[in-house]
mmCIF file of all heavy atoms in Angstrom:
data_model
loop_
_atom_site.group_PDB
_atom_site.id
_atom_site.type_symbol
_atom_site.label_atom_id
_atom_site.label_comp_id
_atom_site.label_asym_id
_atom_site.label_seq_id
_atom_site.Cartn_x
_atom_site.Cartn_y
_atom_site.Cartn_z
ATOM 1 N N SER A 30 -171.530 75.483 -44.576
ATOM 2 C CA SER A 30 -172.656 75.879 -43.697
ATOM 3 C C SER A 30 -173.130 74.519 -42.993
ATOM 4 O O SER A 30 -173.861 73.784 -43.477
ATOM 5 C CB SER A 30 -173.779 76.489 -44.431
ATOM 6 O OG SER A 30 -174.187 75.770 -45.509
ATOM 7 N N GLU A 31 -172.450 74.361 -41.872
ATOM 8 C CA GLU A 31 -172.840 73.137 -41.055
ATOM 9 C C GLU A 31 -173.962 73.172 -40.175
ATOM 10 O O GLU A 31 -174.624 72.166 -39.791
ATOM 11 C CB GLU A 31 -171.581 72.655 -40.263
ATOM 12 C CG GLU A 31 -170.300 72.470 -41.208
ATOM 13 C CD GLU A 31 -169.088 72.136 -40.422
ATOM 14 O OE1 GLU A 31 -169.119 72.193 -39.199
ATOM 15 O OE2 GLU A 31 -168.060 71.771 -41.001
ATOM 16 N N THR A 32 -174.360 74.382 -39.791
ATOM 17 C CA THR A 32 -175.566 74.629 -38.939
ATOM 18 C C THR A 32 -176.228 75.765 -39.309
ATOM 19 O O THR A 32 -175.603 76.672 -40.112
ATOM 20 C CB THR A 32 -175.195 74.785 -37.386
ATOM 21 O OG1 THR A 32 -174.353 75.871 -37.294
ATOM 22 C CG2 THR A 32 -174.470 73.505 -36.915
ATOM 23 N N GLY A 33 -177.536 75.968 -38.922
ATOM 24 C CA GLY A 33 -178.279 77.254 -39.222
ATOM 25 C C GLY A 33 -179.002 77.374 -40.464
ATOM 26 O O GLY A 33 -178.741 76.536 -41.393
ATOM 27 N N THR A 34 -179.980 78.170 -40.445
ATOM 28 C CA THR A 34 -180.717 78.520 -41.678
ATOM 29 C C THR A 34 -180.565 80.073 -41.851
ATOM 30 O O THR A 34 -181.005 80.830 -41.075
ATOM 31 C CB THR A 34 -182.183 78.160 -41.602
ATOM 32 O OG1 THR A 34 -182.954 78.675 -42.688
ATOM 33 C CG2 THR A 34 -182.893 78.544 -40.244
ATOM 34 N N PRO A 35 -179.725 80.501 -42.780
ATOM 35 C CA PRO A 35 -179.425 81.883 -42.926
ATOM 36 C C PRO A 35 -180.497 82.903 -43.007
ATOM 37 O O PRO A 35 -181.402 82.749 -43.755
ATOM 38 C CB PRO A 35 -178.538 81.966 -44.210
ATOM 39 C CG PRO A 35 -179.001 80.767 -45.025
ATOM 40 C CD PRO A 35 -179.373 79.711 -44.126
ATOM 41 N N GLN A 36 -180.280 84.023 -42.186
ATOM 42 C CA GLN A 36 -181.349 85.118 -42.254
ATOM 43 C C GLN A 36 -181.041 85.778 -43.713
ATOM 44 O O GLN A 36 -179.968 86.029 -44.147
ATOM 45 C CB GLN A 36 -181.010 86.133 -41.220
ATOM 46 C CG GLN A 36 -181.344 85.549 -39.792
ATOM 47 C CD GLN A 36 -181.150 86.698 -38.739
ATOM 48 O OE1 GLN A 36 -181.877 87.573 -38.807
ATOM 49 N NE2 GLN A 36 -180.259 86.502 -37.827
ATOM 50 N N GLY A 37 -182.239 85.993 -44.279
ATOM 51 C CA GLY A 37 -182.197 86.622 -45.605
ATOM 52 C C GLY A 37 -182.918 85.701 -46.637
ATOM 53 O O GLY A 37 -183.337 86.158 -47.585
ATOM 54 N N GLY A 38 -182.892 84.388 -46.301
ATOM 55 C CA GLY A 38 -183.666 83.423 -47.228
ATOM 56 C C GLY A 38 -185.169 83.608 -47.025
ATOM 57 O O GLY A 38 -185.585 83.784 -45.885
ATOM 58 N N VAL A 39 -185.979 83.474 -48.114
ATOM 59 C CA VAL A 39 -187.415 83.541 -47.950
ATOM 60 C C VAL A 39 -187.962 82.458 -47.059
ATOM 61 O O VAL A 39 -188.948 82.719 -46.334
ATOM 62 C CB VAL A 39 -188.041 83.383 -49.402
ATOM 63 C CG1 VAL A 39 -189.537 83.435 -49.335
ATOM 64 C CG2 VAL A 39 -187.458 84.507 -50.353
ATOM 65 N N ILE A 40 -187.386 81.296 -47.067
ATOM 66 C CA ILE A 40 -187.920 80.117 -46.299
ATOM 67 C C ILE A 40 -187.441 80.026 -44.887
ATOM 68 O O ILE A 40 -187.877 79.404 -44.057
ATOM 69 C CB ILE A 40 -187.724 78.865 -47.064
ATOM 70 C CG1 ILE A 40 -188.721 77.807 -46.558
ATOM 71 C CG2 ILE A 40 -186.269 78.350 -46.918
ATOM 72 C CD1 ILE A 40 -188.707 76.466 -47.367
ATOM 73 N N SER A 41 -186.418 80.891 -44.596
ATOM 74 C CA SER A 41 -185.653 80.799 -43.312
ATOM 75 C C SER A 41 -186.590 81.081 -42.051
ATOM 76 O O SER A 41 -186.545 80.292 -41.107
ATOM 77 C CB SER A 41 -184.472 81.790 -43.234
ATOM 78 O OG SER A 41 -183.564 81.386 -44.146
ATOM 79 N N PRO A 42 -187.462 82.081 -42.008
ATOM 80 C CA PRO A 42 -188.312 82.294 -40.942
ATOM 81 C C PRO A 42 -189.242 81.034 -40.666
ATOM 82 O O PRO A 42 -189.536 80.794 -39.501
ATOM 83 C CB PRO A 42 -189.174 83.527 -41.374
ATOM 84 C CG PRO A 42 -188.355 84.304 -42.321
ATOM 85 C CD PRO A 42 -187.615 83.191 -43.011
ATOM 86 N N LEU A 43 -189.798 80.499 -41.678
ATOM 87 C CA LEU A 43 -190.678 79.266 -41.571
ATOM 88 C C LEU A 43 -189.847 78.151 -40.943
ATOM 89 O O LEU A 43 -190.325 77.424 -40.110
ATOM 90 C CB LEU A 43 -191.216 78.852 -42.961
ATOM 91 C CG LEU A 43 -192.042 77.652 -42.962
ATOM 92 C CD1 LEU A 43 -193.264 77.694 -42.065
ATOM 93 C CD2 LEU A 43 -192.489 77.277 -44.370
ATOM 94 N N LEU A 44 -188.525 77.915 -41.388
ATOM 95 C CA LEU A 44 -187.707 76.882 -40.876
ATOM 96 C C LEU A 44 -187.506 77.096 -39.403
ATOM 97 O O LEU A 44 -187.440 76.145 -38.559
ATOM 98 C CB LEU A 44 -186.508 76.755 -41.679
ATOM 99 C CG LEU A 44 -186.632 76.223 -43.182
ATOM 100 C CD1 LEU A 44 -185.326 76.194 -43.876
ATOM 101 C CD2 LEU A 44 -187.546 75.051 -43.290
ATOM 102 N N ALA A 45 -187.164 78.388 -39.069
ATOM 103 C CA ALA A 45 -187.025 78.743 -37.668
ATOM 104 C C ALA A 45 -188.198 78.462 -36.785
ATOM 105 O O ALA A 45 -188.115 77.923 -35.651
ATOM 106 C CB ALA A 45 -186.530 80.115 -37.471
ATOM 107 N N ASN A 46 -189.342 78.704 -37.265
ATOM 108 C CA ASN A 46 -190.603 78.474 -36.496
ATOM 109 C C ASN A 46 -190.772 76.948 -36.428
ATOM 110 O O ASN A 46 -191.270 76.555 -35.322
ATOM 111 C CB ASN A 46 -191.828 79.030 -37.208
ATOM 112 C CG ASN A 46 -192.062 80.464 -36.757
ATOM 113 O OD1 ASN A 46 -191.666 80.958 -35.705
ATOM 114 N ND2 ASN A 46 -192.734 81.317 -37.700
ATOM 115 N N ILE A 47 -190.514 76.244 -37.313
ATOM 116 C CA ILE A 47 -190.613 74.748 -37.222
ATOM 117 C C ILE A 47 -189.661 74.159 -36.211
ATOM 118 O O ILE A 47 -189.988 73.351 -35.535
ATOM 119 C CB ILE A 47 -190.464 74.116 -38.711
ATOM 120 C CG1 ILE A 47 -191.423 74.512 -39.608
ATOM 121 C CG2 ILE A 47 -190.255 72.611 -38.498
ATOM 122 C CD1 ILE A 47 -191.295 74.003 -41.115
ATOM 123 N N ALA A 48 -188.508 74.697 -36.231
ATOM 124 C CA ALA A 48 -187.515 74.254 -35.276
ATOM 125 C C ALA A 48 -187.907 74.581 -33.822
ATOM 126 O O ALA A 48 -187.593 73.747 -32.965
ATOM 127 C CB ALA A 48 -186.020 74.975 -35.611
ATOM 128 N N LEU A 49 -188.559 75.681 -33.645
ATOM 129 C CA LEU A 49 -188.868 76.111 -32.212
ATOM 130 C C LEU A 49 -190.327 75.648 -31.910
ATOM 131 O O LEU A 49 -190.782 75.821 -30.756
ATOM 132 C CB LEU A 49 -188.858 77.610 -32.109
ATOM 133 C CG LEU A 49 -187.400 78.219 -32.202
ATOM 134 C CD1 LEU A 49 -187.473 79.806 -32.204
ATOM 135 C CD2 LEU A 49 -186.509 77.665 -31.153
ATOM 136 N N HIS A 50 -191.055 75.020 -32.885
ATOM 137 C CA HIS A 50 -192.281 74.457 -32.554
ATOM 138 C C HIS A 50 -192.288 73.346 -31.477
ATOM 139 O O HIS A 50 -191.456 72.457 -31.623
ATOM 140 C CB HIS A 50 -192.945 73.971 -33.825
ATOM 141 C CG HIS A 50 -194.266 73.129 -33.630
ATOM 142 N ND1 HIS A 50 -195.406 73.702 -33.173
ATOM 143 C CD2 HIS A 50 -194.550 71.794 -33.719
ATOM 144 C CE1 HIS A 50 -196.374 72.819 -33.052
ATOM 145 N NE2 HIS A 50 -195.896 71.609 -33.370
ATOM 146 N N GLY A 51 -193.091 73.453 -30.676
ATOM 147 C CA GLY A 51 -193.255 72.400 -29.507
ATOM 148 C C GLY A 51 -192.785 72.867 -28.112
ATOM 149 O O GLY A 51 -193.089 72.198 -27.156
ATOM 150 N N MET A 52 -192.199 74.056 -28.023
ATOM 151 C CA MET A 52 -191.749 74.677 -26.784
ATOM 152 C C MET A 52 -192.950 74.817 -25.864
ATOM 153 O O MET A 52 -192.971 74.498 -24.629
ATOM 154 C CB MET A 52 -191.075 75.989 -27.106
ATOM 155 C CG MET A 52 -190.582 76.612 -25.770
ATOM 156 S SD MET A 52 -190.061 78.344 -26.082
ATOM 157 C CE MET A 52 -188.649 78.092 -27.129
ATOM 158 N N GLU A 53 -194.043 75.451 -26.299
ATOM 159 C CA GLU A 53 -195.226 75.698 -25.561
ATOM 160 C C GLU A 53 -195.839 74.344 -25.092
ATOM 161 O O GLU A 53 -196.223 74.278 -23.891
ATOM 162 C CB GLU A 53 -196.160 76.517 -26.405
ATOM 163 C CG GLU A 53 -197.516 76.882 -25.530
ATOM 164 C CD GLU A 53 -198.427 77.782 -26.410
ATOM 165 O OE1 GLU A 53 -198.060 78.218 -27.432
ATOM 166 O OE2 GLU A 53 -199.635 77.847 -25.901
ATOM 167 N N ASN A 54 -196.070 73.537 -25.997
ATOM 168 C CA ASN A 54 -196.657 72.145 -25.667
ATOM 169 C C ASN A 54 -195.769 71.456 -24.611
ATOM 170 O O ASN A 54 -196.339 70.781 -23.712
ATOM 171 C CB ASN A 54 -196.845 71.374 -26.864
ATOM 172 C CG ASN A 54 -197.941 71.884 -27.784
ATOM 173 O OD1 ASN A 54 -198.815 72.642 -27.386
ATOM 174 N ND2 ASN A 54 -197.843 71.581 -29.071
ATOM 175 N N MET A 55 -194.497 71.554 -24.761
ATOM 176 C CA MET A 55 -193.561 70.797 -23.763
ATOM 177 C C MET A 55 -193.706 71.358 -22.396
ATOM 178 O O MET A 55 -193.873 70.639 -21.399
ATOM 179 C CB MET A 55 -192.169 70.995 -24.267
ATOM 180 C CG MET A 55 -191.113 70.330 -23.283
ATOM 181 S SD MET A 55 -190.502 71.395 -21.929
ATOM 182 C CE MET A 55 -189.667 72.719 -22.860
ATOM 183 N N LEU A 56 -193.762 72.671 -22.238
ATOM 184 C CA LEU A 56 -193.965 73.330 -20.845
ATOM 185 C C LEU A 56 -195.312 73.015 -20.383
ATOM 186 O O LEU A 56 -195.444 72.705 -19.142
ATOM 187 C CB LEU A 56 -193.719 74.773 -20.995
ATOM 188 C CG LEU A 56 -192.252 75.224 -21.248
ATOM 189 C CD1 LEU A 56 -192.201 76.841 -21.357
ATOM 190 C CD2 LEU A 56 -191.329 74.766 -20.120
ATOM 191 N N LYS A 57 -196.327 73.077 -21.059
ATOM 192 C CA LYS A 57 -197.639 72.735 -20.579
ATOM 193 C C LYS A 57 -197.851 71.325 -20.200
ATOM 194 O O LYS A 57 -198.507 71.069 -19.157
ATOM 195 C CB LYS A 57 -198.759 73.208 -21.641
ATOM 196 C CG LYS A 57 -198.909 74.744 -21.739
ATOM 197 C CD LYS A 57 -200.057 75.106 -22.593
ATOM 198 C CE LYS A 57 -200.281 76.660 -22.533
ATOM 199 N NZ LYS A 57 -201.468 76.979 -23.305
ATOM 200 N N GLU A 58 -197.165 70.489 -20.942
ATOM 201 C CA GLU A 58 -197.229 69.060 -20.500
ATOM 202 C C GLU A 58 -196.430 68.876 -19.175
ATOM 203 O O GLU A 58 -196.939 68.156 -18.250
ATOM 204 C CB GLU A 58 -196.566 68.233 -21.652
ATOM 205 C CG GLU A 58 -196.603 66.759 -21.353
ATOM 206 C CD GLU A 58 -197.938 66.145 -21.301
ATOM 207 O OE1 GLU A 58 -198.885 66.744 -21.939
ATOM 208 O OE2 GLU A 58 -198.088 64.988 -20.696
ATOM 209 N N TYR A 59 -195.379 69.582 -19.031
ATOM 210 C CA TYR A 59 -194.601 69.465 -17.743
ATOM 211 C C TYR A 59 -195.440 70.008 -16.617
ATOM 212 O O TYR A 59 -195.568 69.363 -15.540
ATOM 213 C CB TYR A 59 -193.295 70.182 -17.871
ATOM 214 C CG TYR A 59 -192.512 70.443 -16.594
ATOM 215 C CD1 TYR A 59 -192.024 69.367 -15.858
ATOM 216 C CD2 TYR A 59 -192.652 71.640 -16.019
ATOM 217 C CE1 TYR A 59 -191.389 69.660 -14.757
ATOM 218 C CE2 TYR A 59 -191.993 71.995 -14.849
ATOM 219 C CZ TYR A 59 -191.355 70.964 -14.137
ATOM 220 O OH TYR A 59 -190.732 71.109 -12.930
ATOM 221 N N ILE A 60 -196.064 71.234 -16.831
ATOM 222 C CA ILE A 60 -196.803 71.744 -15.679
ATOM 223 C C ILE A 60 -198.029 70.929 -15.434
ATOM 224 O O ILE A 60 -198.432 70.907 -14.137
ATOM 225 C CB ILE A 60 -197.263 73.201 -16.203
ATOM 226 C CG1 ILE A 60 -196.096 74.171 -16.146
ATOM 227 C CG2 ILE A 60 -198.395 73.700 -15.242
ATOM 228 C CD1 ILE A 60 -195.465 74.385 -14.850
ATOM 229 N N SER A 61 -198.748 70.295 -16.371
ATOM 230 C CA SER A 61 -199.895 69.568 -16.093
ATOM 231 C C SER A 61 -199.593 68.354 -15.250
ATOM 232 O O SER A 61 -200.457 67.833 -14.523
ATOM 233 C CB SER A 61 -200.498 69.131 -17.362
ATOM 234 O OG SER A 61 -199.648 68.306 -18.063
ATOM 235 N N GLN A 62 -198.402 67.816 -15.345
ATOM 236 C CA GLN A 62 -197.983 66.600 -14.576
ATOM 237 C C GLN A 62 -197.293 66.941 -13.271
ATOM 238 O O GLN A 62 -197.104 66.179 -12.373
ATOM 239 C CB GLN A 62 -196.957 65.727 -15.354
ATOM 240 C CG GLN A 62 -197.677 65.177 -16.636
ATOM 241 C CD GLN A 62 -196.702 64.454 -17.412
ATOM 242 O OE1 GLN A 62 -195.477 64.211 -17.171
ATOM 243 N NE2 GLN A 62 -197.241 63.808 -18.559
ATOM 244 N N ARG A 63 -196.917 68.239 -13.064
ATOM 245 C CA ARG A 63 -196.302 68.627 -11.791
ATOM 246 C C ARG A 63 -197.279 68.834 -10.735
ATOM 247 O O ARG A 63 -198.299 69.503 -10.893
ATOM 248 C CB ARG A 63 -195.521 69.930 -11.976
ATOM 249 C CG ARG A 63 -194.645 70.306 -10.839
ATOM 250 C CD ARG A 63 -194.157 71.859 -11.013
ATOM 251 N NE ARG A 63 -193.213 72.174 -10.010
ATOM 252 C CZ ARG A 63 -193.547 72.705 -8.829
ATOM 253 N NH1 ARG A 63 -194.807 72.774 -8.551
ATOM 254 N NH2 ARG A 63 -192.560 73.179 -8.030
ATOM 255 N N PRO A 64 -197.088 68.220 -9.488
ATOM 256 C CA PRO A 64 -197.980 68.365 -8.354
ATOM 257 C C PRO A 64 -197.958 69.857 -7.863
ATOM 258 O O PRO A 64 -196.937 70.405 -7.579
ATOM 259 C CB PRO A 64 -197.543 67.326 -7.326
ATOM 260 C CG PRO A 64 -196.135 67.116 -7.733
ATOM 261 C CD PRO A 64 -196.050 67.281 -9.135
ATOM 262 N N MET A 65 -199.161 70.399 -7.810
ATOM 263 C CA MET A 65 -199.163 71.892 -7.360
ATOM 264 C C MET A 65 -200.487 71.977 -6.445
ATOM 265 O O MET A 65 -201.486 71.313 -6.643
ATOM 266 C CB MET A 65 -199.272 72.792 -8.476
ATOM 267 C CG MET A 65 -198.039 72.905 -9.357
ATOM 268 S SD MET A 65 -198.245 73.949 -10.779
ATOM 269 C CE MET A 65 -198.572 75.497 -9.967
ATOM 270 N N ARG A 66 -200.367 72.965 -5.495
ATOM 271 C CA ARG A 66 -201.525 73.289 -4.622
ATOM 272 C C ARG A 66 -201.800 74.674 -4.638
ATOM 273 O O ARG A 66 -200.926 75.591 -4.843
ATOM 274 C CB ARG A 66 -201.243 72.862 -3.176
ATOM 275 C CG ARG A 66 -201.083 71.303 -3.029
ATOM 276 C CD ARG A 66 -200.876 70.893 -1.575
ATOM 277 N NE ARG A 66 -200.807 69.466 -1.403
ATOM 278 C CZ ARG A 66 -201.865 68.690 -1.363
ATOM 279 N NH1 ARG A 66 -203.070 69.150 -1.328
ATOM 280 N NH2 ARG A 66 -201.707 67.363 -1.220
ATOM 281 N N ASP A 67 -203.069 75.081 -4.589
ATOM 282 C CA ASP A 67 -203.531 76.440 -4.561
ATOM 283 C C ASP A 67 -203.211 77.227 -3.140
ATOM 284 O O ASP A 67 -202.701 76.573 -2.333
ATOM 285 C CB ASP A 67 -204.984 76.667 -4.926
ATOM 286 C CG ASP A 67 -205.819 75.974 -3.987
ATOM 287 O OD1 ASP A 67 -205.407 75.675 -2.798
ATOM 288 O OD2 ASP A 67 -207.077 75.664 -4.402
ATOM 289 N N GLN A 68 -203.653 78.363 -3.013
ATOM 290 C CA GLN A 68 -203.404 79.212 -1.841
ATOM 291 C C GLN A 68 -204.045 78.644 -0.601
ATOM 292 O O GLN A 68 -203.742 78.897 0.466
ATOM 293 C CB GLN A 68 -203.769 80.629 -2.091
ATOM 294 C CG GLN A 68 -205.184 80.772 -2.397
ATOM 295 C CD GLN A 68 -205.593 82.215 -2.741
ATOM 296 O OE1 GLN A 68 -204.787 83.142 -2.484
ATOM 297 N NE2 GLN A 68 -206.847 82.388 -3.366
ATOM 298 N N HIS A 69 -205.041 77.754 -0.805
ATOM 299 C CA HIS A 69 -205.764 77.140 0.301
ATOM 300 C C HIS A 69 -205.276 75.806 0.585
ATOM 301 O O HIS A 69 -205.753 75.141 1.435
ATOM 302 C CB HIS A 69 -207.284 77.052 0.025
ATOM 303 C CG HIS A 69 -207.903 78.446 -0.340
ATOM 304 N ND1 HIS A 69 -207.959 79.443 0.582
ATOM 305 C CD2 HIS A 69 -208.377 78.870 -1.482
ATOM 306 C CE1 HIS A 69 -208.511 80.491 0.038
ATOM 307 N NE2 HIS A 69 -208.835 80.227 -1.254
ATOM 308 N N GLY A 70 -204.294 75.274 -0.076
ATOM 309 C CA GLY A 70 -203.626 73.992 0.135
ATOM 310 C C GLY A 70 -204.300 72.930 -0.542
ATOM 311 O O GLY A 70 -203.970 71.659 -0.318
ATOM 312 N N LYS A 71 -205.267 73.163 -1.382
ATOM 313 C CA LYS A 71 -205.991 72.136 -2.170
ATOM 314 C C LYS A 71 -205.285 71.848 -3.499
ATOM 315 O O LYS A 71 -204.655 72.646 -4.148
ATOM 316 C CB LYS A 71 -207.352 72.636 -2.483
ATOM 317 C CG LYS A 71 -208.261 71.671 -3.234
ATOM 318 C CD LYS A 71 -209.616 72.280 -3.429
ATOM 319 C CE LYS A 71 -210.539 71.211 -4.133
ATOM 320 N NZ LYS A 71 -211.934 71.749 -4.364
ATOM 321 N N ALA A 72 -205.159 70.480 -3.699
ATOM 322 C CA ALA A 72 -204.500 70.051 -5.031
ATOM 323 C C ALA A 72 -205.243 70.655 -6.239
ATOM 324 O O ALA A 72 -206.410 70.662 -6.361
ATOM 325 C CB ALA A 72 -204.477 68.574 -5.114
#
């Protein structure tokens, strides 16, 4: 078993959540730094 955490293990869901942790923060950090304007052209 060179990769993965097998489904069926008690701890596997927790390990999968740890692996995917940070996705939301990464996207919000990217959006916060991206220049954007509203419908009226204001930054």
Side-chain angles (χ1 to χ4, degrees):
S30 51
E31 298 176 352
T32 60
T34 169
Q36 295 186 63
V39 177
I40 202 171
S41 294
L43 175 60
L44 297 181
N46 270 335
I47 294 172
L49 296 175
H50 170 65
M52 180 190 298
E53 181 179 346
N54 291 335
M55 178 274 296
L56 287 177
K57 288 193 172 180
E58 181 66 23
Y59 166 72
I60 289 295
S61 66
Q62 296 178 359
R63 186 189 186 279
M65 292 175 62
R66 295 185 177 276
D67 60 19
Q68 57 185 350
H69 303 294
K71 185 179 178 181

